[in-house]
Each structure stands twice: as structure tokens, then as C-alpha cells.
Amino acid sequence: MTAPIVIVGAGLAGLRTAEELRRAGYDGELVLVGDEARLPYDRPPLSKQFVRGETDDTTLRPSEFYAEKRIDVRVSTEAVGVDTDARRVHLADGSTLGYGQLIIATGLRPRRLPGLPDLRGVHVLRGHTDAVALRADLADAATALVIGAGFIGCELAASFRANGVGVVLVEPQATPLASVLGTQVGELIARMHRAEGVDLRCGIGLDTLYGDDAGRVRGARLSDGSEIAADLVALGVGSRPVTEWLSDSGIALAEPSAGGGVLADEVGRTSVAGVWAVGDVAAWLHETGSRKRVEHWTNAGEQAKLLACALLGAAPPTAARVPYFWSDQYDVKIQALGTPNATDDVHVVSDDGRKFLAYYSQAGTLTGVVGAGMTAQVMKARAKIAAGAPITELLTPS
């Protein structure tokens, strides 16, 4: 290849893809483009150790690494379009960047709730700048309102409580994480938050926010008419893939109603030759025949390996892929293997009032396992999930 491989998106997926390309033997020019003013960094700690003030730096690789691997990393460089015929990426400063192969790794952008007043002290959390602002406000807060009890909302609620802040956590669904893990396991997670002093209110939403004369948030009215005081507000109401810059490119995108993202096959190829997609922004083809995005840390690395091998014509990894994700809340690590789904049959096989283990199945086949504080028990199920074992194998006493 004479033209470089260009990776747009300098997050975890973009970095891992660059690493895997070098590991797989690519020796040509490699450019990593990111719109943030810093080297690639790890996002999961932002809602935990970083916001609590326990760490200041989550950088994934030092600058020396990029020099050693000959990765031309360009920060503060935003891609605004792509000409797939000319194979050129258009940048916000008016310049263009030619490519031989283009890899899209632009990730997600947090959703905001429409119609809310513009007040200081209202936060979303996706990037480092968001986390810095949130941590600064948290230092002076006595009360916080978290809207949305997904993973980010639950992790922030736990971090706020660890810093001694009173927390109201509002979730329109019946339990935290109901759409992901189902209400049965969601209720076990709700129990943990309530035990830690969180005022958890499910089945209601946010009506509006109100502030003081200086334009700073001071409270909220909820959809049930109740009003609460809050020194800061965190919105954890989901994210959407960053694909606006591809709108005129001819690259096929998933419909927003299907989760959005860049449509790709099982190794990341898009509808346009020479263009690939990886990470949170990519709707890959899965074994079920459907295309979906998977927003988990480990998925970025697994996809990066497959994409790099396919792009270079190398042999792909042979091990069966078993999705894995985790969430740290209080002193408990919540872990999931496989593809647990809210519509699965759920079998809670261990529950001591805080720690728990649950198996998920469909049509009698094990699909996943979720555990809180049960690391060994969760990991033991990996081989059985990969093999599509019958759920009876795990429910029958040995």
C-alpha cells in the first residue's frame, strides 16, 4: 500500500486497531486522527476513579509508544467528511488527508434531553473534558440528581455516594438496567443502590430543571410532580453513534430506529471498498444474521484483531468469541459473559443479599451469565456459553 491506512477516531477502538495492524505485520504509513486535544485514553475510569479524584490520568499509551510504532497520531483534528471516490478525508481546518484504507472508529456522543433550560451544573459524561467539569462540580456538591440508571448512571450514583453526596437516581423503566439485564436482575442492582443510601425512583422521568438567578441548577421537577433539590445533575440517557460526517459519503448507515452506526460485515468491511468500521460506532454482522452495535470495552479489542487480520489478509483468531463486559459499583464488580438479554429466561442461582449469580437462557440454551461479586463463578461459564450448552447442565446439582 502506498497511501496510508487512516483511522478516524482516537479512542480505544482506534488505538487497538492501530496496535493490531502493527502486530499483524503492517509496516506502512499509519495515521490515527482524533478530535480531542489529548492522546487516546481509557474511558471507563472516568465515571469511577477519575470523577472521585482517585486518579488524574487515564492515558492508554505514552507518546513514546506512538514514535516507536510509527503511528502518526494527530490530536485536535476533526474529520468532517470523506470522498470515497478520491479516497480523501476532509478535515475541519479545510485540509484533506488521503488514504489507501480508511477505518472509522468515531465512537459515540452522549444524548441530551431536549427542552431543558441551559444551566451550569448539568452534565453528560463521555470524554475527559466532561469528566473534569463533573469532578469540579462534585467537589462542592451536597446533593446530586442522576437521570438514567443504565451503566453510566449507576456508576456515577455509586461514585457520588462514595464522595458523601446525597443522590436521587431517576429511571423511567421499572428497574435499573431493565432493558439490558431484565427486571429480575435489575431489582437486585436496585437493592444494592438503596442499601447504599441512594434515593432510587423508578417508573418516572424528568419533567424540567430549575436554577437560581446566577444560572446554576438548583433542582428538578419529576414527571410525577415531585420536586427535588440538586447541586448538580448528571444525564445518563444513552448515546448515539458519531456518523454525521459520513452523511454524504455513500457509506451505508443503520437506521436510527435500529441503533444507528456504520453497517459492516463480520470483520468490519463497510458497503464501500477500502472503508472499515470498528468499535462503538460499528454495526457488525453477528451470528444471528443481524447487524448490531456492541458498546463494550472488550469488544473494541476483539473487533480490532479481526479487522486487522481481514484487512491484511492474515489468518483470523480461531478462539470462539464470548462477549464480556463489567461495571464497578461500590465494592462490587458486576460482570456479564455472553449475550444476556432482557427477554431471556433468568435463573438466579445464588443471592446473599448483595452478591448474586444469574444464568440467562433462550429455548433451553445458555446465553449468558451475570454476577455481582462472583468473578470465579462467572468466568467458569465461558466454555459452556461458547458451546451453547443446555441450561440444565448448570442448574442440575453436580
Side-chain angles (χ1 to χ4, degrees), residues 146-158 167-195 198-204 236 325 327 329-330 334 341-342 346 356 360 370:
V146 181
I147 304 297
F151 285 112
I152 289 292
C154 285
E155 289 173 0
L156 285 176
V167 176
V168 177
L169 176 57
V170 171
E171 170 54 55
Q173 298 184 86
T175 71
L177 297 165
S179 64
V180 181
L181 302 178
T183 56
Q184 190 173 352
V185 168
E187 189 53 51
L188 301 180
I189 295 169
R191 180 185 64 191
M192 178 174 63
H193 282 276
R194 290 187 172 113
V198 172
D199 180 357
L200 175 60
R201 307 188 189 188
C202 294
I204 60 174
F325 62 91
S327 175
Q329 300 176 31
Y330 309 105
I334 300 170
N341 191 285
V346 179
F356 63 83
Y360 288 68
V370 175

Side-chain angles (χ1 to χ4, degrees), residues 88-132:
R88 301 199 71 82
V89 175
H90 295 268
L91 304 176
D93 64 2
S95 65
T96 63
L97 178 61
Y99 66 86
Q101 299 285 319
L102 172 65
I103 301 170
I104 300 166
T106 41
L108 306 174
R109 180 177 293 116
R111 294 185 185 278
R112 292 180 179 270
L113 294 174
L116 296 179
D118 184 14
L119 298 169
R120 289 180 291 110
V122 180
H123 301 268
V124 294
L125 179 60
R126 178 62 183 174
H128 183 268
T129 301
D130 301 327
V132 169

Side-chain angles (χ1 to χ4, degrees), residues 229-296:
D231 299 319
L232 72 83
V233 174
L235 303 176
V237 293
S239 302
R240 56 187 178 86
V242 180
T243 57
E244 299 89 345
W245 67 290
L246 302 172
S247 59
D248 297 322
S249 67
I251 299 168
L253 305 177
E255 292 294 329
S257 59
V262 181
L263 292 172
D265 68 7
E266 68 278 4
V267 292
R269 295 186 189 90
T270 73
S271 62
V272 174
V275 181
W276 308 71
V278 66
D280 292 348
V281 75
W284 275 33
L285 180 65
H286 288 258
E287 294 84 355
T288 60
S290 63
R291 285 180 167 86
K292 63 179 180 179
R293 295 187 301 103
V294 178
E295 301 175 14
H296 301 316

Side-chain angles (χ1 to χ4, degrees), residues 356-373:
F356 63 83
L357 183 71
Y359 296 123
Y360 288 68
S361 66
Q362 283 188 6
T365 299
L366 178 69
T367 56
V369 57
V370 175

